[in-house]
Amino acid sequence: MRVLDLNTLYIDGGEGGVNTYLREKARCLDGAVCPSTGARVHHTIVVPGARDSRTTFGGSTLYTLRSPRLPGNRQHRLLVDFPRVARLLRDERPDLIEVDCSYILGHVAARAVRPRRVPIVGFYHVHLPLLYTRAGLGWVRRRLSSRTEPLAWGYVRLCARPCSRVIVTTRDMRARLEGRRLPRL
């Protein structure tokens, strides 16, 4: 069984919630066997980085793809080399793909593996509508949020569209997303 994580929220050379999640997932999958098939689990992680590399991360293979910094956020980088991501997805031949739901990686993955119909699971790590439209107390942002928040929710639904399932970490977040018509939670 081949599992591939595709995430743009990883902090290359740093620490953060996504880094911890991926490190723990790599640790848990190291030596794991699929209960339904008895096959060994192979785990691959594809994330943005300062340079291209292929290393190990626990028992997993970690690909970092040279990516530009996210504007306004020096810690994060944005995977933009979609042809390279697609090649990696085809080369690695995953049986299951997990993507973060804060970016269009699900669409990139769906196109790359379309002939094989590989399930794509989204993980809702960041609550974008709240982060980008309501953060801060400035009166300008409060005034604009009534116009920008519906756009942010539309973007979240777009990012989640190719996912067979979307994982959330709390009942409260599930209720919020259900109220905004996010399917397959």
Side-chain angles (χ1 to χ4, degrees):
M1 167 120 197
R2 301 181 73 76
V3 177
L4 188 139
D5 275 278
L6 183 56
N7 200 305
T8 201
L9 297 173
Y10 177 83
I11 301 172
D12 186 26
E15 289 298 322
V18 171
N19 292 52
T20 301
Y21 171 72
L22 291 172
R23 185 173 28 262
E24 286 302 305
K25 187 172 182 180
R27 187 183 63 75
C28 288
L29 292 178
D30 188 16
V33 174
C34 178
S36 61
T37 65
R40 185 173 179 275
V41 176
H42 298 276
H43 184 221
T44 303
I45 303 167
V46 179
V47 293
R51 65 193 56 78
D52 291 335
S53 69
R54 181 179 188 264
T55 59
T56 57
F57 193 71
S60 302
T61 301
L62 174 68
Y63 289 96
T64 55
L65 305 183
R66 187 169 180 262
S67 302
R69 292 189 186 278
L70 185 64
N73 183 335
R74 303 277 309 151
Q75 288 184 311
H76 289 97
R77 294 176 179 274
L78 198 58
L79 279 172
V80 293
D81 190 349
F82 298 143
R84 179 125 186 257
V85 170
R87 271 193 311 277
L88 274 172
L89 285 163
R90 286 190 295 271
D91 291 348
E92 291 294 324
R93 299 191 53 78
D95 299 303
L96 176 68
I97 299 169
E98 181 182 310
V99 298
D100 72 72
C101 286
S102 63
Y103 191 43
I104 58 172
L105 294 174
H107 291 275
V108 174
R111 275 194 202 103
V113 299
R114 182 173 290 143
R116 293 183 49 236
R117 295 182 177 227
V118 174
I120 299 170
V121 176
F123 198 131
Y124 195 81
H125 292 279
V126 175
H127 191 35
L128 291 173
L130 183 63
L131 179 67
Y132 288 117
T133 64
R134 292 188 186 172
L137 300 174
W139 67 271
V140 171
R141 185 163 280 194
R142 274 196 308 270
R143 224 158 153 75
L144 291 175
S145 70
S146 65
R147 291 188 180 103
T148 57
E149 190 171 345
L151 294 173
W153 280 110
Y155 177 74
V156 166
R157 282 190 293 278
L158 171 74
C159 291
R161 192 175 297 147
C163 299
S164 304
R165 293 279 185 262
V166 175
I167 299 168
V168 294
T169 56
T170 67
R171 286 185 182 97
D172 175 64
M173 188 55 66
R174 180 185 174 118
R176 289 177 191 223
L177 297 178
E178 283 175 335
R180 296 299 183 145
R181 303 182 326 268
L182 249 82
R184 301 172 304 279
L185 296 171

